[in-house]
Amino acid sequence: MQKILDAILADELDDIGRIDVPTSYRGVTVHADEVDMFEGMATADKDPRKSLHLDEVPVPELGPGEALVAVMASSINYNTVWSSIFEPLPTFNFLRRYGRTSPLAARHDQPYHVLGSDLSGVVLRTGPGVNNWKPGDKVVAHCLDVALEHPDGHSDTMLDPAQRIWGFETNFGGLAELALVKTNQLMPKPAHLTWEEAAASGLVNSTAYRQLVSRNGAGMKQGDVVLIWGATGGLGSYATQLALNGGATPVCVVSSPAKAELCRRMGAELVIDRKAEGYRFWSDEHTQDPREWKRFGARIRELTGGDDPDIVFEHPGRETFGASVFVAKRGGSIVTCASTSGYQHTYDNRYLWMNLKNIIGTHFANYREAWEANRLITKGRIHPTLSTVYPLDQAGQATSDVHGNVHQGKVGVLCLAPGEGLGVSDPERRERFLPEINRFRVDPQ
Ligand code: NAP
């Protein structure tokens, strides 16, 4: 591995395909024989630091249409939280089901699961049938794993029934020194970013792009008012940028003065500190309080000068969904990709149908959408919102930060990269964007 790393650090990549790939590598895993370790505990008490391991695992065989990538950096996504606490179900169920589909897919069904759905790094090997990528290419990877053998995926790959999220529903993810990806996950690494900056955005930026901008999601247009829950979190910090970048007006919801300040630094003027304003949408475990929805809606109108949100960018789920449906504009959309606080949502349907609102379900992004989202980063229109960066052996702590909601923006992880600040291959371009990069870089709390 050292020879590979030396070549990358020296930026001598022409012959990297000739350097021997080791037979094993270090990756962040969960173990199949530990899926019951948190049984009976409340979600908040399940500790990723106990379930995540750094293991030496065998390098998988390379199949057609695949690439083996030397991973310089990765990032924590909420799916790593779900995998690490085995909720809503252990990810080994995905691996077993996938493994049954073909002899090649059987590689993924292991007693360990190497997690991680983001990477920046360098292609080491490509499998048969790969023409667009070669060893030495500097890349980032999006996390849609799809073979496109089914007709349903051919208008929108997210509609393919065999679509999977790499590093969550497949093995050999990005929180590791090496990763196995399909080459239709690869995209050029933005040359003005460091390894850890480049690895921060893939999953959340692509998801937010489809959810908010794409016609497959809310199809945001200039002038729209967009209510963004968790506006400094992974998804929200990119949704806020996409809204501002596309001529919309974000109304950012956050839970602390520091997060409110970050929204303002990103350029958003309308911010609600949900904690300071004390919204209690649920009066008890079973009952929502419409007076609180109304108080929240009135606050939004106060900030916007009377407008209701054309789009509500939803992901907290159970706790906020009733309020989200209530506050959306007549004819507006509630676009949801998640249910962090619980996936059984209840809302008052009278507000939906009488006011002709839409609920749109969305999930990750197709290659085209991920590519467009990455292009915005390459062009310096969207910037990584990276905060704390951890070494690979502290991925448990990194995941625990996200689980405990003590993070801001994205939490990065260095894999092969020996330190922060490496990997910029276009210093002039970086210089040009530096004020913006620094504006969006989040000070670790
Ligand atoms: P994140 O970095 O933790 O950010 C989420 C933010 O939401 C938090 O920082 C928090 O901000 C806010 N929040 C959390 N619980 C809340 C609640 N009960 N009420 C109001 N706000 C709440 O996570 P993320 O990366 O943005 O992901 C968010 C969710 O989306 C996760 O469930 C994840 O699995 C899912 N997701 C789905 C997809 C997909 O493709 N379907 C892709 C990415 C993520 P404040 O405390 O500041 O309000």
Side-chain angles (χ1 to χ4, degrees), residues 88-127:
L89 44 114
T91 45
F92 291 97
N93 297 18
F94 301 136
L95 302 186
R96 272 192 287 274
R97 208 175 309 144
Y98 184 26
R100 283 197 293 269
T101 62
S102 76
L104 205 59
R107 290 170 302 169
H108 291 260
D109 182 9
Q110 300 291 342
Y112 57 86
H113 185 182
V114 184
L115 305 175
S117 300
D118 272 320
L119 69 72
S120 65
V122 174
V123 174
L124 292 180
R125 296 282 190 278
T126 54

